[in-house]
Amino acid sequence: MTAVDAQFYWMSAKVPNDDFMVYAFDGEPTDFERAVEDVRSRARGCRALTVRVDDGSPLTYPSWVQTELEPEWVTRHQLDDHSWTGCLDAVVRLAERQLDMRVAPWRLHLFAPVHGLPGGTGPGTVAVVQVPHALADGVRSAALAGWLFGRATPVPEVTASPGFLPWRAVNAVRAHRKLVRDTHAGLLRPSPGTRPALATNTRPAGTRTVRTLVRRRGQLRGPTVTVAVLAAVSGALAGYLGDAAATLIAEVPMAKTGVRQAHNHFSNVTVDLYPGLDRHARVQRIAADLADARRRAQHPAVRTADRAFAAVPAPLLRWGVGHFDPEVRPAQVSGNTVVSSVYRGPADLSFGNAPVLLTAGNPALSPAMGLAHGVHGIGDTVAITVHAAESAIGDIDDYLARLDAEL
């Protein structure tokens, strides 16, 4: 296991980080059990889906070892409320049972029938793929789910490159100095930095709610889906929080360039949300900030820092993760909310003979983040998911209505 993936694995004991990918299918398979067996068969044919974690030595990084797929990795659940909203409430409760990767690296939860699916022609099926972060980031998770539901593209193996820490550390220091010089020279714009914590950064407590808004790509006004949603979140939060929202920033996961050398191949960037600007100006500034963040992420300093981190000895990283205290409350944060955006490919997936309608997510909350947004597209359909704790957003219906209007 690479250093960055091991960090996610060890950190999950302190801050749960399982990802829950929601796929809604139009109808129930004619032969439900056959559809389940087809998924199991495809999983057996993918090396990345037939591994578990062996973390036997404190002196080394955990290992991925081959394992047999167990029947309980694919489970059908009974719903108390068969509506789309009731199903999303059940998805929230799934997060109470994080996976032990020493036993199971992923799990598929099936719900059927589900009534009122957006765009559906009748009762449908909802499949939720639960994937711990150590196994995959958003892009890789989408590839794994795509394989399970019939996509022909294999999920590539990831090969880490070994290295010598002192030499890589020296290179990282030199590259960082160049990053500082390039920033001072105006060749790169600096990151927005941190801002005051707001109500949305309150430790999650009370009821947790997941809700979705669904749009066609052409209905989202902006150069990209991500920019359009960020601008809408800005307006919705500004209206909901009032004057406190003047300094709004968002944390946005951004895929890294170059060859993937870990299951997690992304970085988090900070983007100003400009709530005081009109919508047109806000969209332009957010798009420019994302472009600046992408240029910073492509600077040689970032790649050399990644290579140095990849060579950190396992006992040192394990010690560092062990000393992380999730109870510490920050006064300054790198995001007042998270907006995670992933396009999951063409609408070519199916469960049995039921075609895919949409895909959504259940973006994770953390000790300092009580509001998260997921933006997930498949084909021409985009689902905007809001995951909020009552302590951060006391009136989820009011906030959702504001976001709906902004979109």
Side-chain angles (χ1 to χ4, degrees):
M1 188 182 288
T2 63
V4 63
D5 298 333
Q7 184 181 41
F8 274 107
Y9 173 63
W10 290 329
M11 189 66 78
S12 66
K14 294 174 177 283
V15 181
N17 59 30
D18 282 9
D19 188 17
F20 294 84
M21 297 181 290
V22 179
Y23 289 81
F25 297 93
D26 194 9
E28 297 180 70
T30 305
D31 188 336
F32 203 98
E33 292 306 316
R34 174 62 183 271
V36 169
E37 187 50 44
D38 285 346
V39 168
R40 290 192 176 119
S41 177
R42 291 189 65 82
R44 293 187 192 101
C46 177
R47 180 179 173 84
L49 290 167
T50 54
V51 295
R52 61 175 178 82
V53 170
D54 179 6
D55 192 14
S57 171
L59 300 178
T60 62
Y61 280 112
S63 298
W64 297 108
V65 295
Q66 290 302 119
T67 190
E68 293 294 324
L69 188 147
E70 300 294 337
E72 62 269 20
W73 291 12
V74 181
T75 306
R76 184 173 183 177
H77 301 270
Q78 295 299 318
L79 287 168
D80 296 326
D81 178 353
H82 288 267
S83 69
W84 172 232
T85 298
C87 184
L88 291 176
D89 289 340
V91 173
V92 174
R93 293 192 292 272
L94 291 176
E96 298 170 3
R97 300 188 63 182
Q98 299 283 306
L99 293 179
D100 181 347
M101 295 192 69
R102 297 167 300 180
V103 178
W106 60 275
R107 186 156 286 172
L108 176 62
H109 307 272
L110 298 169
F111 301 90
V114 179
H115 299 274
L117 293 177
T121 58
T125 304
V126 172
V128 181
V129 187
Q130 181 178 1
V131 177
H133 232 303
L135 183 67
D137 57 17
V139 173
R140 186 172 171 82
S141 292
L144 292 172
W147 176 263
L148 285 177
F149 297 125
R151 194 167 285 157
T153 307
V155 181
E157 291 294 315
V158 174
T159 303
S161 59
F164 183 51
L165 177 60
W167 180 244
R168 287 190 175 186
V170 169
N171 287 337
V173 170
R174 290 172 177 167
H176 179 73
R177 287 172 178 164
K178 185 177 186 329
L179 173 64
V180 172
R181 290 195 301 270
D182 289 347
T183 302
H184 286 164
L187 300 177
L188 294 170
R189 284 190 63 191
S191 168
T194 60
R195 299 290 168 80
L198 300 179
T200 52
N201 298 109
T202 304
R203 173 179 287 278
T207 302
R208 299 190 183 200
T209 305
V210 169
R211 293 291 180 266
T212 59
L213 298 169
V214 179
R215 295 290 192 274
R216 292 295 179 187
R217 171 62 185 96
Q219 295 175 294
L220 297 172
R221 298 169 297 159
T224 68
V225 168
T226 305
V227 170
V229 175
L230 282 166
V233 167
S234 173
L237 272 178
Y240 185 85
L241 296 175
D243 293 341
T247 59
L248 270 179
I249 56 175
E251 198 171 281
V252 181
M254 180 178 287
K256 293 180 179 180
T257 58
V259 178
R260 175 186 288 270
Q261 294 190 343
H263 291 170
N264 286 272
H265 189 64
F266 75 100
S267 60
N268 290 320
V269 302
T270 298
V271 179
D272 254 313
L273 291 185
Y274 303 102
L277 299 181
D278 65 65
R279 190 188 182 283
H280 178 71
R282 190 189 312 153
V283 165
Q284 288 185 317
R285 293 294 294 273
I286 290 173
D289 277 7
L290 278 174
D292 288 334
R294 192 169 290 108
R295 279 191 288 271
R296 286 183 66 86
Q298 293 170 353
H299 192 276
V302 175
R303 292 192 292 274
T304 55
D306 286 346
R307 286 195 287 268
F309 182 78
V312 170
L316 180 59
L317 183 56
R318 193 189 291 262
W319 176 87
V321 171
H323 281 74
F324 172 76
D325 185 357
E327 301 300 323
V328 173
R329 307 304 304 151
Q332 297 282 317
V333 295
S334 58
N336 302 121
T337 186
V338 172
V339 178
S340 178
S341 182
V342 178
Y343 181 63
R344 292 177 175 161
D348 56 355
L349 307 183
S350 62
F351 179 61
N353 60 338
V356 70
L357 280 172
L358 62 89
T359 183
N362 180 19
L365 304 182
S366 68
M369 190 67 72
L371 172 67
H373 301 78
V375 186
H376 298 97
I378 193 162
D380 190 47
T381 302
V382 180
I384 300 93
T385 308
V386 177
H387 184 191
E390 189 176 6
S391 54
I393 299 291
D395 189 340
I396 186 63
D397 292 329
D398 177 48
Y399 177 69
L400 198 69
R402 292 177 184 275
L403 183 58
D404 190 27
E406 290 286 337
L407 290 168

